[in-house]
Amino acid sequence: MKINISQAKKEIGSRQPFVFTLPVNSLQLEQLSFTMISEVTVTGDVVNKGRVLEVAGIIHADAVSFCDRCLAEFQFPLDIVFQEEFQESAMQATDELAEVSTYQGDEIELNGLVEDNIALAEPLQTVCSPDCRGLCPKCGTNLNVAACMCDRTEIDPRLAKLQQLLKNNP
Ligand SMILES: [Zn+2]
Ligand SMILES: [Zn+2]
């Protein structure tokens, strides 16, 4: 998606807000650790900082992933904060910084920025709920939805030996 920046270019300090949505399938993304199930909404501001334009905002989508503990699929909001500086490409010849993003004319193409930020995103939420009880390590029952009869008390190996002795010598 290209955003128009003619307003922001006018003078130092000018701020131009933008918002746009992109269908997920319009983005080129490698395999991710989550699946986006909504359109991607990008909201932000372009601020004229003099030599550069700063583009900052938030990328939002609804996503699903699999819980680290119980392996069930769960939904969560994906919110990625981004900030990037863009330089008018004509100026780049005199600048030694190779790692700077550029634009030409009155528009900035943001798909690359959105794709990069999504690819690097590490969702904060990796479990379906902070108190997810997970799977029973013995029988695999999902303990959020059912109980099982397994003895899951963790015993210190030294105590286990003692327990065994006591059992053998009542
Ligand atoms: Zn879970
Ligand atoms: Zn069990």
Side-chain angles (χ1 to χ4, degrees):
M1 179 68 72
K2 283 181 178 161
I3 54 166
N4 187 289
I5 51 164
S6 53
Q7 191 68 34
K9 278 175 74 177
K10 278 182 183 161
E11 56 185 5
I12 294 175
S14 291
R15 177 182 293 267
Q16 186 169 2
F18 62 86
V19 56
F20 59 89
T21 55
L22 297 165
V24 172
N25 62 17
S26 73
L27 295 169
Q28 296 192 356
L29 294 165
E30 301 286 312
Q31 191 70 41
L32 300 170
S33 63
F34 51 85
T35 306
M36 289 181 287
I37 54 164
S38 69
E39 283 191 322
V40 177
T41 304
V42 185
T43 317
D45 283 305
V46 186
V47 179
N48 186 331
K49 298 242 167 174
R51 216 167 57 87
V52 295
L53 294 178
E54 182 188 88
V55 180
I58 196 156
I59 299 164
H60 171 84
D62 291 321
V64 291
S65 185
F66 293 97
C67 174
D68 279 354
R69 282 185 218 158
C70 71
L71 311 181
E73 194 176 67
F74 68 99
Q75 192 180 327
F76 62 98
L78 184 72
D79 289 300
I80 306 162
V81 174
F82 65 89
Q83 184 182 43
E84 194 159 320
E85 292 181 340
F86 287 82
Q87 218 173 51
E88 192 144 24
S89 60
M91 291 165 66
Q92 208 185 10
T94 58
D95 202 305
E96 292 300 307
L97 293 171
E99 285 297 308
V100 75
S101 303
T102 58
Y103 68 91
Q104 273 178 314
D106 284 345
E107 285 179 328
I108 293 182
E109 169 59 60
L110 290 184
N111 275 32
L113 178 153
V114 172
E115 287 159 359
D116 289 352
N117 277 278
I118 291 174
L120 294 171
E122 295 282 348
L124 293 173
Q125 197 179 342
T126 56
V127 291
C128 64
S129 143
D131 40 40
C132 169
R133 303 174 72 177
L135 302 179
C136 168
K138 291 193 174 160
C139 72
T141 296
N142 182 341
L143 301 173
N144 297 310
V145 295
C148 65
M149 299 301 285
C150 302
D151 179 5
R152 292 188 300 277
T153 35
E154 299 258 335
I155 300 171
D156 185 306
R158 288 162 300 177
L159 287 178
K161 227 168 209 169
L162 189 66
Q163 201 175 47
Q164 199 61 40
L165 280 172
L166 289 171
K167 209 185 277 177
N168 294 341
N169 307 289

